[in-house]
Structure formats: C-alpha cells, structure tokens
C-alpha cells in the first residue's frame, strides 16, 4: 500500500492568531476524561490506532478557545480539537477537559497558554464573499470583528467551522444557518435565537437590510449541512462548505446556471481517494451483514449459551460516530436488520434536534442488550473497545463488529490511472466484494473486529471530477489547504477540459 501523504485539512479555518510573546505557565490539573457517547468518565478518549488518525500537519501555535470550556486548544491537532470540543458538548459542566496521554495517577502536566490577551487575527480573504454593496463572512467566528461585515454564514455544525462561536459572540447582526444547525447552536451553546436566520433546503430568503438573496441546498455532509447560493444584482456565488456531491445536487446547481465564483470543498482532491458512492456503500454493507447474520456459523459452543433464556444474536454492531454525522448509515443498517439503535440520553437529545421521526423511532436509551446496533465515539473504536463491549453483553451477542465509516482511513482500491477510468461509477458488485473481503478476515478466535468501510461525508476524487466539469463558472476557489491553491486549481482545470462527461453517467 502506498505511503500516506501527510496533508492539511481545513487549514484556512484553523489559521488563528499567531503565537505571541506572552509567557506560559505549567500547571498540574485534575483530569476529567469525557466519553463522546457515554457518560462514563473513566474511559479515555485517546484510544486510537495511529494509522486511523486523520492526516494533518502540525500547525503554528494560534489562539483558539474551546467554545464550551474556553480553554485554549490551539496546540492540538484538528482531530484532537474536534474530540475536545465534542467531549465538552457531551458534558458542558466539566470545567476543564484535557487531551493528553493519561497517567495512572489521574494527574497530567499541561502547558496552559494565556491566549485572552492576544488579539485575534483578521478574517482571511478566502472566507470573505464581497458583493457590490455588502460583504459576508463564511465559517469565520474565531477572527477579529470586521468593520464592514455584519452578515455571517455557518455552513454546518462541525467544530472546525463553528470554532469561536459562543453564546456571547457579538461580531455581527445575523448568522445564516439551516434549521438543524440553528437547533444545535441553541441547544448546545445557548446562542441567542434572535441572532440566527434560518434557511431551509430548496428555499430562498432575502437577507434583511441588504440586496442579497440566499438559496440553500442539502450538502449531503452531516445533518443540517448546506451549500449556499448567494446572489446580488449582477453576481452569483456558490459556497459548498463541506459537502458530498451527488446527482440531485449537481442537477439542481446546473439548473441555476452560471456562477461567478465557486468555493469548493477539496478534501479528497487526490486520486488515492476514489471511493464509491455513499448510497452504494450503505446498500452493500447492509446486504453483507444480513447475509453473514444468516450464514455465518460459530463452531465452538460457549458455556454461557446453556444458561441464557434467549438465544444470543450473532453480532453486536458498533458504529463509530462524531457528535453528529454517520446517522444515515446507522438508520439504514437498523432498518435492514430490524433492530433499534442504542445510545445514551445525551446523545439522543442531540439527535432529536434533527427532527427526523424515522431516527427518533429507532433510538433506545434503556435496553442496550436488545439493540443490535450501538453508537460509539469514532476515535476510540478499536479491537480493545469492542472486546470490552462484547464482555459486557456476552449473554446477548456472540461477536462484535465495529464499523469505522471514514474516507481518511480507507484507501479504496488503487489510484485511478487516468480520467477515463473515472467516467463510470464502480458497480455494487465490486463494492460488495471489497467489503466482504475485509470482513472475511474475521476469525473465530478473535470475536471482536473493526470493519473499515469507504463511507465518507466528503466528496470523492471522481465526484469532484464531475462537479468541476459539469458546472459553469468563472472562478473556482479550493477551501481546503488554500496555500496549495495553484496545484489544486491545475488539477481542477484538467477536469474542466475533459469533454466526455454527462450527468446521466454520474
């Protein structure tokens, strides 16, 4: 397998204040370790195989305070910042949540940076959308106030986009959000609802006191994520936030017409990440697990099976998630296996903000032993964690399978040799065979296994190929790793010059 190239992820969003000359002090703090999914405060979130961690480059020290506990977390990587903030969200009463290697004594040494005296940096140019009479800032809540900007836009509720936004944030007069993002901001951060202007999918609104119109489409990323068409007389921009391109999205954008500028999520603009369509991965995973439930046999009879009233099920399935995200996968699997989904009360309260009746009806917070699907924190989903879960529920399940749905840890197949090879999508049969091959490594003497699947909520290399080719635009801006614009734009221009694509083949 090719060696993984270390890359920046969403660097433009995380370039905060430069390191100041302020002094630092080393303090000993009592550690409270919070589980993203359960309320158990004894388990470490730092249970993560090194090869599964998100790729990143060490960033320069900057000012970035957690929006919940207000501790400076600028020294953490993007992945650890996300873990920290989401842990605080699960238990907002925790005063300090530290993410270091945990010592057995429960005490760690941490350098606490005094960041409140350093001024915030100005909003980067790539986060400012300028029109003739008005200016909008997108996902730019951790920067200094801009005298000409009163309208802000939050594309979705992930910490690398809402970073800096708290209930006391007052840099603008309005924040444009989707209804789900609005609910989450109010529920988790206590943001003033009067500050939030909601725009639903396939809806167009006028921004008060401006000549701007904003249309929102489903970004197919996480619940409440949107791509936004912003228009003023004579100009039309598209900001994609984070998105997973699909056929309905492309068809809607093609009907809108030409864009003067498009800001595109280029997270997977790399031929190594040519993974299959999201819906195909979900369908084939469901088929595989249904098949294994019916056909897989365990040759060795367990002693405990003679003492239980109800015959144990073959598999406990644990799906790795973040605070929000991966819900579509959990819903489809639960429906296919005709089971409910177990999570704790706080997780259920978060998911209830979506307003999805089909999800609400599947959730169970009281009977984990009767739910074949459990939700767990993605960073801690490994064999040891699964073994612990299997031990806990050994009377009810014979084996445990962890589902790690992420594009970062799975390189599906080989890099595509040419653009011609990406015109046709991979067949469901090929996807089934690939996932099945990974599953077949499951051994009876090791009844806890993590199954990696190429399920991503960012666009694949092939999907970016279609997007850049089929849409009409004057300028394309890559929102990931903006320092690497020239290289990314050269690749996107190569996509644009390909003349044998059509939406029917997507």
């Amino acid at each position: 397998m090719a060696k993984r190239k270390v890359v920046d992820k969403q660097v433009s969003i995380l370039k905060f204040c430069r390191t100041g000359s302020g002094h630092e002090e080393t303090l000993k703090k009592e550690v409270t370790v919070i589980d993203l999914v359960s309320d158990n405060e004894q388990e470490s979130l730092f249970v993560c195989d090194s090869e599964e961690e998100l790729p990143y480059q060490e960033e320069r020290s900057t000012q970035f305070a957690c929006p919940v506990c207000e501790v400076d977390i600028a020294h953490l990587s993007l992945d650890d910042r996300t873990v920290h903030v989401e842990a605080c969200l699960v238990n907002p009463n925790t005063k300090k949540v530290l993410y270091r290697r945990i010592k057995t004594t429960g005490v760690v040494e941490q350098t606490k940076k005094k960041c409140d005296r350093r001024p915030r940096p100005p909003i980067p140019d790539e986060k400012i959308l300028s029109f003739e009479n008005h200016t909008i800032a997108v996902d730019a809540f951790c920067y200094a106030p801009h005298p000409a900007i009163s309208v802000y836009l939050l594309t979705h509720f992930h910490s690398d986009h809402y970073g800096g936004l708290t209930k006391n944030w007052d840099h603008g007069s309005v924040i444009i959000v989707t209804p789900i993002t609005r609910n989450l901001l109010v529920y988790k951060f206590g943001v003033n609802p009067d500050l939030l202007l909601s725009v639903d999918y396939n809806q167009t609104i006028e921004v008060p006191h401006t000549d701007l119109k904003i249309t929102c489409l489903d970004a197919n990323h996480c619940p409440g994520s949107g791509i936004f068409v912003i228009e003023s007389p004579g100009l039309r921009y598209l900001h994609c936030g984070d998105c997973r391109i699909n056929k309905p999205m492309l068809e809607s954008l093609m009907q809108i017409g030409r864009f003067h500028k498009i800001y595109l999520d280029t997270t997977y603009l790399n031929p190594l990440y040519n993974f299959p369509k999201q819906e195909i991965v979900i369908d084939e995973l469901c088929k595989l697990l249904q098949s294994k439930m019916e056909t897989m046999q365990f040759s060795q009879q367990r002693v405990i099976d003679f003492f239980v009233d109800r015959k144990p099920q073959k598999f406990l399935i644990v799906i790795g998630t973040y605070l929000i995200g991966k819900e579509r996968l959990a819903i489809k699997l639960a429906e296919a296996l005709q089971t409910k989904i177990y999570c704790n009360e706080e997780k259920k309260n978060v998911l209830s903000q979506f307003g999805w009746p089909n999800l609400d009806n599947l959730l169970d917070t009281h009977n984990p032993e009767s739910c074949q699907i459990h939700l767990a924190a993605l960073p801690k989903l490994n064999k040891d964690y699964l073994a612990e879960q299997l031990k806990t529920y050994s009377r009810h399940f014979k084996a445990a399978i962890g589902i790690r749905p992420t594009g970062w840890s799975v390189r599906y197949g080989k890099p595509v040799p040419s653009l011609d090879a990406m015109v046709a999508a991979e067949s469901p049969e090929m996807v089934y065979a690939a996932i099945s091959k990974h599953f077949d490594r499951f051994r009876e003497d090791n009844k806890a296994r993590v199954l990696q699947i190429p399920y991503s909520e960012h666009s694949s290399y092939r999907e970016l190929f279609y997007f850049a080719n089929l849409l009409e635009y004057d300028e394309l801006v890559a929102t990931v790793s903006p320092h690497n614009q020239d290289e990314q734009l050269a690749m996107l221009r190569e996509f644009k010059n390909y003349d044998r694509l059509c939406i029917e083949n997507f």
Side-chain angles (χ1 to χ4, degrees):
M1 184 174 65
K3 186 177 180 181
R4 178 173 301 178
K5 181 181 179 181
V6 180
V7 295
D8 281 337
K9 173 159 171 58
Q10 207 67 41
V11 175
S12 60
I13 291 177
L14 294 175
K15 282 187 176 177
F16 305 117
C17 294
R18 299 294 183 262
T19 304
S21 58
H23 65 279
E24 302 172 346
E25 59 180 357
T26 301
L27 300 175
K28 286 192 175 181
K29 294 288 185 180
E30 289 296 323
V31 174
T32 304
V33 181
I34 303 302
D35 187 323
L36 292 185
V37 176
S38 72
D39 289 326
N40 184 357
E41 298 187 2
Q42 304 303 317
E43 300 180 35
S44 169
L45 278 176
F46 241 161
V47 189
C48 204
D49 294 332
S50 60
E51 67 178 31
E52 307 300 347
E53 295 176 356
L54 296 180
Y56 64 89
Q57 289 181 346
E58 290 296 329
E59 300 176 28
R60 286 171 290 184
S61 296
T62 56
Q63 172 183 325
F64 181 56
C66 171
V68 180
C69 71
E70 297 185 354
V71 166
D72 180 16
I73 57 176
H75 59 288
L76 299 179
S77 70
L78 170 62
D79 203 19
D80 291 342
R81 291 183 193 183
T82 302
V83 170
H84 175 100
V85 173
E86 289 176 347
C88 284
L89 289 173
V90 169
N91 191 340
N93 295 322
T94 302
K95 293 182 179 180
K96 297 287 183 294
V97 183
L98 309 179
Y99 294 90
R100 297 289 190 186
R101 294 289 179 182
I102 306 302
K103 294 184 179 180
T104 56
T105 60
V107 178
V108 299
E109 290 201 2
Q110 181 198 25
T111 300
K112 184 177 183 300
K113 301 181 179 180
K114 292 187 175 181
C115 62
D116 54 340
R117 297 181 182 178
R118 297 200 298 267
R120 295 191 174 195
I123 301 174
D125 292 341
E126 63 269 13
K127 306 183 76 61
I128 297 175
L129 279 57
S130 298
F131 299 86
E132 183 176 354
N133 299 318
H134 301 283
T135 306
I136 291 181
V138 179
D139 297 336
F141 303 96
C142 55
Y143 301 96
H146 192 295
I149 299 178
S150 62
V151 179
Y152 284 73
L153 188 153
L154 175 58
T155 59
H156 62 286
F157 193 78
H158 276 167
S159 60
D160 55 333
H161 293 258
Y162 65 63
L165 183 55
T166 68
K167 65 180 180 180
N168 298 319
W169 185 89
D170 60 355
H171 296 178
S173 61
V174 64
I175 303 173
I176 299 161
V177 294
T178 63
I180 290 178
T181 300
R182 177 190 183 278
N183 293 345
L184 290 166
L185 287 173
V186 174
Y187 174 70
K188 298 304 297 183
F189 291 161
V191 174
N192 183 359
D194 295 336
L195 189 63
L196 307 173
L197 176 61
S198 294
V199 52
D200 213 340
Y201 296 146
N202 305 310
Q203 179 188 11
T204 301
I205 62 170
E206 295 183 356
V207 181
H209 313 299
T210 73
D211 59 2
L212 300 175
K213 294 183 179 181
I214 294 184
T215 302
C216 180
L217 300 174
D218 187 354
N220 193 33
H221 178 61
C222 67
S225 61
I227 63 173
F228 297 85
V229 179
I230 306 108
E231 298 178 89
S232 72
L235 281 179
R236 178 187 291 142
Y237 292 167
L238 170 65
H239 200 291
C240 296
D242 285 349
C243 69
R244 180 76 196 261
I245 298 162
N246 57 18
K247 190 173 182 179
M249 180 192 300
L250 283 174
E251 290 174 335
S252 297
L253 293 174
M254 291 171 69
Q255 291 175 2
I256 291 174
R258 191 174 191 87
F259 297 92
H260 294 90
K261 188 178 291 188
I262 296 178
Y263 295 81
L264 179 61
D265 168 20
T266 53
T267 298
Y268 288 129
L269 187 58
N270 186 320
L272 283 173
Y273 298 111
N274 188 35
F275 38 78
K277 292 182 180 179
Q278 190 181 76
E279 57 270 24
I280 292 179
V281 173
I282 293 175
D283 290 343
E284 298 312 306
L285 178 63
C286 290
K287 291 178 185 177
L288 175 68
L289 293 179
Q290 284 178 305
S291 173
K292 296 299 183 182
M293 287 286 294
E294 296 172 358
T295 62
M296 191 166 181
Q297 299 294 328
F298 294 94
S299 59
Q300 184 177 359
Q301 187 76 5
R302 305 182 309 169
V303 174
I304 193 173
D305 293 342
F306 294 99
F307 300 96
V308 294
D309 298 329
R310 192 179 70 172
K311 183 179 179 180
Q313 300 187 70
K314 289 183 179 176
F315 300 117
L316 168 65
I317 299 171
V318 184
I319 301 178
T321 69
Y322 291 116
L323 183 66
I324 63 171
K326 322 298 184 185
E327 291 79 13
R328 283 187 292 270
L329 175 62
I331 291 172
K332 290 293 185 181
L333 272 177
E335 292 174 346
L337 300 177
Q338 298 182 347
T339 183
K340 289 204 167 187
I341 302 169
Y342 173 73
C343 64
N344 73 12
E345 196 69 40
E346 173 58 24
K347 179 75 170 181
K348 181 179 180 181
N349 290 339
V350 171
L351 299 180
S352 69
Q353 304 303 313
F354 303 169
W356 293 358
N358 60 335
L359 177 58
D360 294 338
N361 294 333
L362 288 171
L363 297 178
D364 187 332
T365 60
H366 302 294
N367 305 291
E369 68 283 349
S370 63
C371 299
Q372 194 175 358
I373 295 177
H374 290 199
L375 302 183
L378 186 58
K380 73 175 183 179
L381 182 60
N382 61 16
K383 294 178 183 178
D384 292 338
Y385 176 80
L386 290 176
E388 292 176 6
Q389 295 299 299
L390 184 58
K391 182 178 179 181
T392 301
Y393 303 110
S394 59
R395 297 173 63 88
H396 309 281
F397 303 98
K398 292 184 176 181
I401 300 174
I403 305 296
R404 180 180 286 275
T406 172
W408 284 120
S409 64
V410 175
R411 286 193 170 118
Y412 184 84
K414 299 178 181 179
V416 289
S418 67
L419 296 183
D420 291 338
M422 291 195 299
V423 174
E426 296 199 58
S427 68
E429 293 77 15
M430 293 178 63
V431 176
Y432 184 94
I435 299 176
S436 180
K437 183 178 180 180
H438 192 186
F439 183 94
D440 289 342
R441 298 174 185 171
F442 189 98
R443 302 190 311 273
E444 188 168 341
D445 60 343
N446 182 11
K447 293 184 171 63
R449 177 163 188 83
V450 177
L451 179 64
Q452 301 181 46
I453 64 168
Y455 175 98
S456 175
E457 291 172 338
H458 293 270
S459 302
S460 70
Y461 188 68
R462 176 181 181 271
E463 290 155 357
L464 292 169
F465 173 37
Y466 269 81
F467 184 98
N469 184 280
L470 295 179
L471 295 189
E472 296 295 326
Y473 49 86
D474 296 333
E475 183 180 354
L476 202 57
V477 179
T479 59
V480 179
S481 300
H483 63 282
N484 200 23
Q485 281 282 337
D486 292 343
E487 182 179 337
Q488 296 186 72
L489 293 179
M491 189 176 297
L492 294 169
R493 281 194 295 271
E494 183 181 356
F495 290 171
K496 189 65 177 175
N497 294 331
Y498 191 92
D499 59 3
R500 295 190 294 278
L501 284 190
C502 62
I503 187 64
E504 289 76 17
N505 292 334
F506 183 83

